[in-house]
Amino acid sequence: MKRIWLIVFFISFGWGFAQPTEKSVNDLLQKAGNAFYQLDGVKSLELSKKALDQAKAINNKALVAQAYNMIGLNFDEFYDPVKGLKYYLRGLKYAEKSKNDTVQIWLCNNIGNFYSYRKNDLKNSIDYYKRGLYYAEKIKDSSEIMYAKLSIAGAYFGANKYRQGETYMRGISNFVIKKDDIEAKIHFYSMYGDYYSHLGNYTKAESFFDQAIQLGKKESGSLLDAYMIDVYSDYSSHFKRKKDFKNALFYADLHKSLKEKVYNEERTRKVKLAGSQLEIEDYQRQIDKIEDEKSQQSKDLKESKLIVLLFVIILFILLLLLFSLYRNSMFRDKTYRELQQAYAELQEAKEKADEASQLKTQFVSTISHELRTPLYGVVGITNIILDEHKELAHSPHLNSLKFSARYLLSLVNDLLQINKIEENKIVLENMIFNIPDEINTIVDSLDFIAKKNNNTLVKNIDPAIPEFLIGDKLRLSQVFMNLVSNALKFTKDGTVTVTAQLQEVVESRYFIHFSIADTGVGIAPEDQKKIFEKFVQIERKEGDYQGTGLGLSIVQKLVELFGSTIQLESEIGKGTTFSFTLAFDADEKKRIEIINNIDVDLSTVQVYRILVVEDNKINQIVTKKILESHHFKCTILDDGYAAIDLLEKEHFDLVLMDINMPIINGFETTKLIRKKGIETPVVALTAFDKQEITEQALSSGINDIIIKPFEPSKLFQVISTLIER
């Protein structure tokens, strides 16, 4: 009762590989299996040896395991079972590395057979059989499960533990009978014959033995003969137990003759010779391996001497490097200390620069406030004189005074503007505007300069530009105002052309190319690089206010704030062209009414009571005159606390609040007004820059801000809006 059926499954498994090199190994293993099945051990060993060499060459562990399994079968069956076990165990190691469960099943069963039939070692045989059963159940292979259980049952029968063995037999009986597998059936029938003979049921035992013998006669001359040797031996033992010595002798003779046929001396001699040759080659490989290792060790020894020499040299070099590193470390520490000192000095310089920048910002802000306050008075008093004395409307002295005040105001605004741009305090706003309207407004406001120099203003506006765009129209107007006024000042008896051309459309963004071209005096090449610098003026004539020298610098920085650059083309005597391209959003959904600045005349509608909180006497006069000229009823106070007391007693429609007052400023005054629950609109009337105080004004409860000096129409529009709201 051995493991012959494993050969059939081993052969069928070999066809499963597809790669050419693996296929050649499988072909050899298939032929080796066929030779073994036909009892040709010599040929089987030769083919198995070739398969082993090729499997190792392609490093296929599963095929190496199968080759060792085949070699082990030949040694076990025909030559030396102990050596066969050695090859089984080698194969099992490779099978475990390859994680091929099927090959592990075969090897575990063969090792179990060795311990069961060769050593009669039940414990080891059962352990290996059950290990094979585990792998068979893991891959759910019904046939392998059947073979494993047959092997386990056979081991128990061999140890006279028939009841335990029959438990495994009973679980696979239907599967064995239905399956078309002669080896399995012979094994099954002979084992049941032995089982019933042991129980004393001789009739049933002989029925099973006879079925096994009939199946064995169908394929005589093959490895099945080796299995039938054990069947005849068990049948002879059955008849001895029955005391039928005649049949016992008959089957004993069959056992002897078949054994001599299968294991004849010539076949055994040839297999032994082939096995010895295989072992010699195996030993030779081990000797060659030892020689290679010895040669390698000799080579390594020589290399070790060289390595020692190199190590000494490298050690010397490392010592030199270590010394060099030490010197470099000392130098680095010194340099680091110097850098630390330099960094501390730079940090101190930076702090001083930041402090200077902050002082500069504070200085510019303070100066602009202090200049705007008296300028408000100068401009306001000038307007009052002109209103009250119409005969002085053409007075050159009064007009010069007004012009000088406005020029000084322009200078203050430009200084504040350039300071804010440099400190990145300007943020572009999004407003809905119309390009033609903005250009027309600027052209109309500069018409007097054009007429003064006998110039013609021309507008070229692309009709493809959308009616409504979204962007910062105030900054755009400031750019146009500077460039157009500049062009008009340096052109006489010529033409200034303002062009707006749609360049491209990317999604909802419209890229518009603007240009301001004149036919004036032009700019020399050496001056073109410096005209954008601050306080630089070209061709300034004595007694002529050409500007502050900040206009083009502001223009350049505003265009950059829009994300673009300004280009200049000029030629002496022929004129100058400034151009730039800006992108604006255009959303169809925002085609709604545009809020236009309009003059509001409240004199004919209703008389409003306005409370003016202002500590400067001149500014009190100017503000009161502006309000009363439009029929507002005006009350003047120069103290915030007095304003709070009066608002608690009397009703006012609106409060004009100065910010910079001595006792309590406008912010704190407004906060106290709001705490008392007074909801009268408060407008800050101040010389501070709007952007600097907006956040603080809103948080204190101020509704709006108007910067001094201001246009009266702007004041009346704000008053109207807040009161009506």
Side-chain angles (χ1 to χ4, degrees):
M1 292 180 290
K2 300 187 179 177
R3 64 281 153 204
I4 303 170
W5 61 85
L6 295 177
I7 306 303
V8 177
F9 285 85
F10 170 75
I11 295 169
S12 64
F13 184 81
W15 291 101
F17 295 91
Q19 296 182 9
T21 51
E22 292 179 353
K23 186 177 184 302
S24 64
V25 179
N26 277 290
D27 288 342
L28 289 170
L29 289 171
Q30 181 186 8
K31 292 175 182 177
N34 288 332
F36 178 76
Y37 196 72
Q38 298 301 324
L39 304 178
D40 190 347
V42 175
K43 186 177 180 181
S44 180
L45 278 173
E46 290 175 353
L47 293 169
S48 299
K49 169 64 173 57
K50 290 181 181 179
L52 177 64
D53 292 339
Q54 290 189 20
K56 285 187 175 180
I58 63 174
N59 195 27
N60 189 312
K61 294 180 177 60
L63 292 177
V64 170
Q66 293 179 48
Y68 275 129
N69 182 53
M70 180 55 67
I71 294 170
L73 281 169
N74 278 282
F75 272 85
D76 188 10
E77 190 69 32
F78 301 116
Y79 176 30
D80 187 340
V82 175
K83 290 181 179 178
L85 175 64
K86 178 182 72 173
Y87 287 104
Y88 288 149
L89 292 173
R90 284 189 192 177
L92 186 58
K93 287 182 180 179
Y94 278 95
E96 288 170 347
K97 290 178 181 179
S98 71
K99 297 182 180 179
N100 189 310
D101 293 332
T102 303
V103 180
Q104 290 189 79
I105 294 169
W106 301 338
L107 286 159
C108 285
N109 273 304
N110 285 340
I111 296 170
N113 290 336
F114 171 82
Y115 283 111
S116 179
Y117 299 110
R118 304 296 187 188
K119 294 294 185 179
N120 198 23
D121 184 343
L122 178 65
K123 183 180 182 306
N124 275 323
S125 65
I126 292 296
D127 286 344
Y128 277 100
Y129 285 145
K130 287 187 176 180
R131 184 174 168 185
L133 178 60
Y134 164 77
Y135 290 121
E137 290 176 340
K138 177 183 175 184
I139 62 176
K140 298 179 181 179
D141 189 324
S142 301
S143 295
E144 294 295 350
I145 292 171
M146 174 188 70
Y147 299 139
K149 288 186 176 182
L150 282 173
S151 296
I152 294 171
Y156 279 121
F157 283 8
N160 288 320
K161 295 184 178 182
Y162 286 93
R163 182 170 296 178
Q164 290 173 267
E166 200 275 334
T167 302
Y168 286 91
M169 294 282 290
R170 195 183 322 124
I172 58 172
S173 59
N174 291 333
F175 186 81
V176 174
I177 293 169
K178 292 178 181 179
K179 186 172 178 63
D180 187 19
D181 190 321
I182 294 176
E183 290 92 346
K185 287 182 178 180
I186 292 174
H187 190 192
F188 179 79
Y189 290 141
S190 66
M191 286 176 66
Y192 258 121
D194 187 27
Y195 173 72
Y196 283 110
S197 176
H198 170 74
L199 294 178
N201 191 342
Y202 300 134
T203 302
K204 203 165 187 178
E206 290 170 13
S207 173
F208 278 110
F209 277 126
D210 290 340
Q211 290 183 69
I213 291 170
Q214 291 301 317
L215 289 171
K217 289 180 178 179
K218 291 182 179 180
E219 292 193 28
S220 61
S222 67
L223 195 61
L224 288 179
D225 287 345
Y227 182 61
M228 292 305 297
I229 293 171
D230 291 332
V231 175
Y232 290 141
S233 176
D234 291 341
Y235 208 5
S236 176
S237 297
H238 161 73
F239 282 116
K240 285 181 183 178
R241 189 180 294 118
K242 187 182 176 182
K243 306 208 184 289
D244 184 348
F245 298 108
K246 179 180 179 182
N247 280 318
L249 180 61
F250 174 75
Y251 284 104
D253 289 340
L254 286 178
H255 164 77
K256 181 180 178 181
S257 61
L258 189 58
K259 186 175 182 180
E260 289 175 352
K261 174 186 175 183
V262 173
Y263 302 109
N264 60 73
E265 291 183 7
E266 180 63 21
R267 176 178 290 154
T268 302
R269 186 185 65 79
K270 290 181 179 180
V271 172
K272 184 176 181 180
L273 182 62
S276 299
Q277 183 64 34
L278 189 146
E279 288 188 282
I280 289 170
E281 291 178 5
D282 193 20
Y283 291 145
Q284 186 62 47
R285 277 197 301 271
Q286 293 181 31
I287 291 169
D288 292 340
K289 183 178 179 181
I290 293 170
E291 288 295 330
D292 289 341
E293 290 176 354
K294 183 179 177 182
S295 175
Q296 184 63 38
Q297 287 174 357
S298 177
K299 184 179 177 182
D300 290 343
L301 183 60
K302 291 179 182 178
E303 290 177 352
S304 297
K305 292 179 181 178
L306 180 61
I307 289 170
V308 171
L309 179 61
L310 289 173
F311 177 76
V312 173
I313 295 171
I314 291 171
L315 182 61
F316 178 72
I317 294 171
L318 286 174
L319 288 172
L320 290 176
L321 286 174
L322 185 62
F323 178 71
S324 176
L325 286 172
Y326 173 74
R327 291 189 61 187
N328 288 338
S329 177
M330 298 296 292
F331 176 75
R332 186 173 64 250
D333 290 343
K334 180 182 177 183
T335 305
Y336 177 71
R337 288 192 296 272
E338 292 174 353
L339 286 173
Q340 275 189 321
Q341 184 178 356
Y343 176 76
E345 292 173 355
L346 285 173
Q347 195 71 17
E348 184 180 357
K350 179 181 178 298
E351 290 173 0
K352 290 181 179 179
D354 291 341
E355 184 180 355
S357 176
Q358 188 175 358
L359 288 172
K360 183 193 77 171
T361 302
Q362 186 177 354
F363 172 77
V364 171
S365 177
T366 303
I367 288 298
S368 64
H369 176 269
E370 295 304 317
L371 287 174
R372 276 178 174 158
T373 299
L375 282 174
Y376 175 61
V378 173
V379 174
I381 294 296
T382 305
N383 289 332
I384 291 172
I385 293 172
L386 288 173
D387 287 341
E388 293 181 353
H389 301 278
K390 305 294 184 184
E391 70 277 7
L392 297 177
H394 300 290
S395 169
H397 302 298
L398 201 57
N399 286 331
S400 294
L401 176 62
K402 189 174 182 179
F403 177 78
S404 296
R406 290 191 176 279
Y407 173 75
L408 187 56
L409 181 61
S410 174
L411 176 61
V412 171
N413 289 336
D414 284 350
L415 281 169
L416 190 60
Q417 180 86 339
I418 199 73
N419 186 64
K420 286 164 66 177
I421 291 174
E422 288 177 349
E423 294 189 0
N424 298 319
K425 289 185 177 181
I426 290 183
V427 178
L428 296 180
E429 299 179 1
N430 286 328
M431 296 173 279
I432 300 174
F433 69 99
N434 178 274
I435 289 287
D437 286 350
E438 295 302 317
I439 293 177
N440 287 333
T441 301
I442 292 166
V443 168
D444 292 343
S445 65
L446 297 175
D447 185 58
F448 76 97
I449 300 178
K451 289 178 180 178
K452 178 182 177 182
N453 290 338
N454 196 28
N455 291 326
T456 302
L457 266 170
V458 179
K459 298 171 290 185
N460 290 328
I461 301 174
D462 189 348
I465 296 174
E467 182 180 1
F468 299 107
L469 294 172
I470 300 172
D472 196 329
K473 69 174 184 177
L474 297 179
R475 308 299 180 192
L476 179 63
S477 298
Q478 192 174 358
V479 171
F480 275 120
M481 183 68 74
N482 276 292
L483 291 177
V484 175
S485 62
N486 209 52
L488 289 170
K489 289 176 184 178
F490 290 96
T491 303
K492 291 188 181 298
D493 303 320
T495 304
V496 175
T497 304
V498 181
T499 303
Q501 184 74 33
L502 181 62
Q503 191 175 71
E504 65 173 329
V505 180
V506 179
E507 295 179 352
S508 66
R509 291 174 65 79
Y510 284 72
F511 290 81
I512 301 173
H513 183 73
F514 299 101
S515 65
I516 293 87
D518 65 59
T519 58
V521 296
I523 304 171
E526 62 271 17
D527 294 329
Q528 291 180 16
K529 294 182 179 179
K530 59 184 180 181
I531 63 168
F532 291 107
E533 297 176 7
K534 291 181 288 187
F535 304 108
V536 172
Q537 293 178 321
I538 308 299
E539 293 292 329
R540 183 184 178 98
K541 297 179 181 179
E542 187 177 353
D544 183 17
Y545 290 108
Q546 296 292 332
T548 63
L550 292 171
L552 288 178
S553 179
I554 291 173
V555 166
Q556 184 186 46
K557 293 183 183 301
L558 286 177
V559 170
E560 289 174 354
L561 202 59
F562 275 102
S564 183
T565 55
I566 189 167
Q567 287 81 39
L568 165 65
E569 295 179 7
S570 185
E571 188 175 346
I572 294 293
K574 291 188 178 181
T576 302
T577 300
F578 290 92
S579 61
F580 52 92
T581 301
L582 303 182
F584 298 99
D585 282 334
D587 192 343
E588 295 294 332
K589 295 180 181 179
K590 293 183 179 179
R591 288 181 173 273
I592 56 176
E593 62 180 23
I594 299 177
I595 302 175
N596 296 314
N597 292 329
I598 58 174
D599 292 340
V600 180
D601 184 8
L602 301 176
S603 60
T604 60
V605 180
Q606 184 177 350
V607 176
Y608 292 106
R609 295 190 67 197
I610 307 296
L611 176 61
V612 178
V613 187
E614 168 70 70
D615 65 313
N616 187 288
K617 299 300 181 182
I618 296 175
N619 290 348
Q620 288 178 359
I621 295 170
V622 173
T623 304
K624 183 176 182 180
K625 187 66 179 179
I626 292 172
L627 292 172
E628 290 181 345
S629 66
H630 286 76
H631 307 292
F632 286 89
K633 188 175 182 180
C634 182
T635 300
I636 304 291
L637 292 174
D638 57 6
D639 180 6
Y641 288 116
I644 296 169
D645 293 339
L646 188 59
L647 283 169
E648 286 185 305
K649 297 174 184 177
E650 299 182 23
H651 169 75
F652 288 89
D653 296 295
L654 186 131
V655 179
L656 293 178
M657 180 76 67
D658 186 27
I659 297 299
N660 193 20
M661 295 186 293
I663 299 175
I664 180 172
N665 64 39
F667 298 131
E668 296 301 322
T669 302
T670 307
K671 286 180 182 179
L672 292 174
I673 290 171
R674 297 306 182 213
K675 282 184 179 180
K676 292 183 177 294
I678 301 170
E679 297 182 357
T680 304
V682 178
V683 176
L685 200 62
T686 179
F688 283 113
D689 182 70
K690 185 175 182 179
Q691 191 171 345
E692 292 180 4
I693 66 168
T694 297
E695 185 176 347
Q696 191 175 359
L698 292 175
S699 64
S700 64
I702 292 174
N703 301 92
D704 208 336
I705 302 170
I706 296 178
I707 306 301
K708 304 174 188 175
F710 54 82
E711 292 295 329
S713 60
K714 173 67 175 175
L715 174 63
F716 300 140
Q717 181 187 356
V718 170
I719 292 173
S720 174
T721 301
L722 290 175
I723 292 176
E724 289 177 4
R725 184 185 303 167

